[in-house]
Every structure is written in C-alpha cells, then in structure tokens.
Amino acid sequence: MSDGLNSAGNNPQALEDICVLDLTRVVAGPYGGSILGDFGAKVIKIEVPGKGDDARGYGPYKNGESVYYANLNRNKKGITLNLKSEKGKEIFKKLVAKADVVLENFRPGVMDKLGLGYDVLKEINPGLIYAACSGFGSYGRYSQRPGYDIISQGMGGLMSITGCPGGEPTRSGNAMGDMLGGMNMIMGVLMALHARQRTGKGQRVDVSLVDSVVASLENAYIRYFDSGQIPVRSGNAYASIAPYDTYHARDGFVVIACGNQKLYEKFCRLIGREDMITDERFLTVPLRVQNNLIQKAEIEKWTMDKSVNDIVDIILGAGIPAGPIYDVRNITEDQHIASDREMFIDIEHPVIGHMKVNGNPIKLMDMMPRINYPAPTLGQDNDMVFGDILGMDEDQIRELKQQKVI
C-alpha cells in the first residue's frame, strides 16, 4: 500500500502491514474496525456519497459533527463510493486487489446482489479475509431477518436474566450485543490472517450478534441443562457464587465478591460473623446461593452503618475482593482507569476540535494501541486514496465526483 496511509509515529505497530476496507455502519462493525486501526492497520472507511454511515446522524453533536461517529471511527481514512454504480464497483474491486481484509455488516446477500460478494472478490484476491457481522449470521432460517443490538439481547437471552427479581426483562445499559459482535468479528479476522500465513488463502468470517450474546451467557445453559430450570432475573446476585453481590452501605452500594471458601471464611471472621461459617444454610457455595437473600440481610447489618469507601478499604485490606459501584463520572475521574490504563484519550478532530475517545482495552506491551488520527469527515480522503493508491489524476477524480460515483 502507499506510504500515504502509514501510521503516524516511529514505533512499529502489530497490524501496520494490514490494509482493511471497512464498509460497516453504526456500532458493531465500526467498533471492530477501530480496534484494527488502533494497532496500526490501514483502515479505509467506505461510505455512501452524500449520506455516509447512519451513525453520522446520531448525537451528541459538536460543531455539527457527530461525536458518536467520531468515537467509533478513529484511526480510519474516509472515502465515499457508490457501490450501486458500475464505476463504483470497478473501483472497489481495484481496492480489493490491494487489501487484506473487507469488513461489512449488511444483511446477508446484499453484497452478492451488488456483484461484490466473497465468491467474486476471492477471484480478484485469493488471500482476502472477508468478514461479515449481521444479526443472525449468513446461514440458518433467520439469516434474512434484520438485526439490531436490542434484538440480539432479547433473542440471545441476556434480557431474560437481567434486571430485578420479578421485574421486566431489561436491556443491558450499553450496546452489549453490538460490542460482542464487533469483538468476535475481529477475533475471527485475526485467526483467519494467521491461517493465511500457513495456507496462503483467505476465507470468510461469519459472525452473528445473536450468537455472540448467546455465547456470553456461559453458565446459564449449564444450569438449565443440569436442572431443567430456566434461569431468572436475580438482580446483582450471581447464580453460581455467594456472597457475590451488591450490598447497602450508609451512602450507597458496595460490591463484595467471595469467590471461594477461603475468602468466604476470611470475610466472615473480618466482620465478626464466624457463626456464618458453620451455619448449615451457608456451609457450601450452592447452599449460600440458595440462601443468598437471607445471608445478604445478615451481611448488610455490618455494611449499612459504614461508608462505601470505608467498607472497600477494610475488605481490600484483608485481601478480599471488593469495590465501589462507579457511574460514568467516577470512572473518568479514577486515575487507574482513566490515566494509568489510558481508557480515555484526548484527540483533536478537524471539525469537532478537542474531544475524548474511548481507549483500547487490549494492551500489547511492546506494541501498544494508539490513536494516530481522528475519524474522517465524509469523503475526507477521496483525493489521497484514489490518487495515491489507484493512481488517478485530478481530472479523473473530479469526473468521479461529477458522476456521483464518489
């Protein structure tokens, strides 16, 4: 690829030799593409001329530009291309010949109808990794259903076990299905890239949002297969361990997590309740889970007259896991999360100006993720990509704009 797409800085990054064509929109796919970009991949975001990614219409806005979009599409170069036009398809195929990865999250079959499906593209580039993320996957009886995050959380089972006991099914407070789908798509891409080193061939990666949520429920299925009982909403309690819950403090709530018998017994001694070690209702983990509400009331006799900070300090001081419940403000002010772990990065966007974006949770200690450039404005890099990579001159690019190909 052209040096025009090289990452900023002199330190090498893990994926700087990989070129990605990112056709994705909204959350799952763009998030996945940004992960690759954070590690140096040359990600070219391809959008519909005049409109762009649907997420450009999502708030909040600053200076007329979507901050929502800017967070999910950093570290990408942006072009516009009309894939419904014959000229647009021709240009896309030329880019595919030079790329390593294509990402898309259209409904299955859309790319085939455009004449740009995997079977066509692999003839152009046999080493191409073609990754698709959709609501229900590319095969199966639901494959043609439209899919959004809330549908994946509902049909994937997450809403059925989230919320207060006896309450309504509750969506996770974030786009959990989208985030899981995006991460799974990129894991698939990285595995396919590794396989290509051995075989020399690319392949398709097929990820479903619903599958991603289903897999995340882990022990819920084990419990169902074992007992035949359908897991229900249990608030903040965990169905496999207790005490492992939130507890009332004088000024809020605190999390206490006794993940094994040794920690449990240490905790009981710490709060002066050695009797709970030998109480027949609490002798084993399954019994404590069964009688969690009874034990929770006993534990709260100790926590209720203490502050969250005091409880956390006392329990952590004894080597037992505990922590406060943060809101977003608390998280941004916590120096470990915000600064030490660099989970919020300050950048300058050409339109938005100064802004913060989410950091990358993956740390390669010798090749750390970094933000090399902000999200592109619509079609920002048309001249550079079409000129430097495909060798078009100014007149050719101007004609493509006049024909509304770009």
Side-chain angles (χ1 to χ4, degrees):
M1 296 298 294
S2 165
D3 288 342
L5 285 181
N6 281 347
S7 301
N10 295 319
N11 296 325
Q13 290 193 275
L15 300 175
E16 61 185 20
D17 60 332
I18 300 300
C19 178
V20 179
L21 303 180
D22 183 356
L23 295 167
T24 63
R25 304 150 298 147
V26 191
V27 179
Y31 174 62
S34 73
I35 294 175
L36 297 176
D38 288 354
F39 285 95
K42 302 163 185 66
V43 183
I44 302 174
K45 174 91 174 184
I46 302 174
E47 300 179 74
V48 178
K51 176 186 176 184
D53 185 336
D54 293 345
R56 289 189 182 275
Y58 298 176
Y61 298 96
K62 187 174 180 182
N63 298 328
E65 195 80 7
S66 168
V67 180
Y68 184 107
Y69 173 91
N71 182 50
L72 289 168
N73 290 282
R74 76 288 186 94
N75 278 334
K76 301 177 184 180
K77 298 298 184 182
I79 67 172
T80 51
L81 191 60
N82 181 2
L83 295 179
K84 293 182 179 179
S85 71
E86 290 306 313
K87 188 64 176 177
K89 294 174 185 178
E90 177 186 328
I91 291 172
F92 180 70
K93 289 177 180 178
K94 289 180 179 179
L95 289 171
V96 166
K98 296 175 177 288
D100 297 286
V101 178
V102 168
L103 305 178
E104 60 103 333
N105 61 349
F106 299 112
R107 196 181 302 189
V110 168
M111 288 291 282
D112 292 311
K113 290 178 181 177
L114 289 171
L116 299 172
Y118 175 66
D119 288 340
V120 172
L121 301 184
K122 73 177 181 179
E123 296 301 319
I124 300 169
N125 183 349
L128 183 70
I129 309 302
Y130 182 103
C133 180
S134 60
F136 295 87
S138 67
Y139 61 89
R141 63 197 67 193
Y142 296 158
S143 64
Q144 291 304 303
R145 290 190 182 187
Y148 278 95
D149 172 77
I150 193 169
I151 295 172
S152 73
Q153 291 198 34
M155 293 186 69
L158 184 58
M159 291 174 66
S160 76
I161 60 171
T162 302
C164 295
E168 295 181 356
T170 303
R171 174 185 171 274
S172 171
N174 72 325
M176 183 60 75
D178 278 334
M179 302 304 280
L180 290 170
M183 287 189 288
N184 285 337
M185 179 170 65
I186 296 313
M187 282 193 285
V189 165
L190 296 175
M191 285 185 275
L193 285 169
H194 178 74
R196 190 178 70 176
Q197 292 181 334
R198 295 185 291 109
T199 67
K201 296 181 180 180
Q203 61 182 293
R204 289 176 63 199
V205 176
D206 180 41
V207 170
S208 153
L209 299 185
V210 173
D211 290 354
S212 297
V213 175
V214 168
S216 77
L217 267 58
E218 35 92 30
N219 77 82
Y221 303 103
I222 301 302
R223 289 184 281 118
Y224 171 70
F225 293 142
D226 178 64
S227 68
Q229 296 182 344
I230 299 173
V232 296
R233 290 175 287 284
S234 56
N236 296 318
Y238 189 38
S240 298
I241 307 172
Y244 195 98
D245 206 335
T246 56
Y247 300 87
H248 278 89
R250 186 180 66 223
D251 56 351
F253 292 87
V254 63
V255 173
I256 301 171
C258 297
N260 59 46
Q261 188 67 23
K262 181 179 179 180
L263 287 172
Y264 171 66
E265 293 180 7
K266 182 185 288 189
F267 172 70
C268 291
R269 294 188 183 97
L270 177 70
I271 67 173
R273 292 298 306 270
E274 289 88 345
D275 60 296
M276 290 199 301
I277 298 174
T278 56
D279 190 313
E280 291 186 357
R281 296 170 298 179
F282 313 136
L283 283 176
T284 65
V285 172
L287 284 171
R288 291 197 292 275
V289 170
Q290 179 181 332
N291 295 297
N292 180 58
L293 291 178
I294 298 171
Q295 186 170 61
K296 184 172 183 175
E298 295 299 314
I299 292 171
E300 288 184 335
K301 291 177 181 178
W302 181 79
T303 61
M304 284 286 283
D305 64 349
K306 299 175 180 62
S307 71
V308 168
N309 288 340
D310 285 345
I311 294 169
V312 171
D313 288 344
I314 292 169
I315 296 178
L316 283 181
I320 300 164
I325 296 174
Y326 280 168
D327 59 24
V328 169
R329 180 180 178 179
N330 298 143
I331 294 167
T332 62
E333 294 176 349
D334 186 294
Q335 293 302 300
H336 171 83
I337 298 171
S339 299
D340 298 349
R341 299 296 295 179
E342 298 181 298
M343 288 308 298
F344 303 100
I345 309 296
D346 292 286
I347 67 169
E348 290 295 326
H349 186 278
V351 178
I352 294 170
H354 178 78
M355 65 175 292
K356 289 182 182 289
V357 296
N358 296 107
N360 196 305
I362 305 165
K363 318 294 186 187
L364 295 186
M365 300 309 292
D366 292 334
M367 295 181 173
M368 294 291 273
R370 64 170 180 254
I371 309 298
N372 295 312
Y373 31 80
T377 56
L378 186 60
Q380 171 185 294
D381 301 295
N382 280 347
D383 291 352
M384 186 273 288
V385 172
F386 297 130
D388 291 358
I389 295 177
L390 298 185
M392 296 181 183
D393 59 31
E394 291 182 5
D395 290 339
Q396 289 174 308
I397 294 173
R398 188 181 304 113
E399 183 178 356
L400 290 175
K401 291 178 181 177
Q402 291 171 349
Q403 295 173 347
K404 297 184 179 180
V405 174
I406 64 175

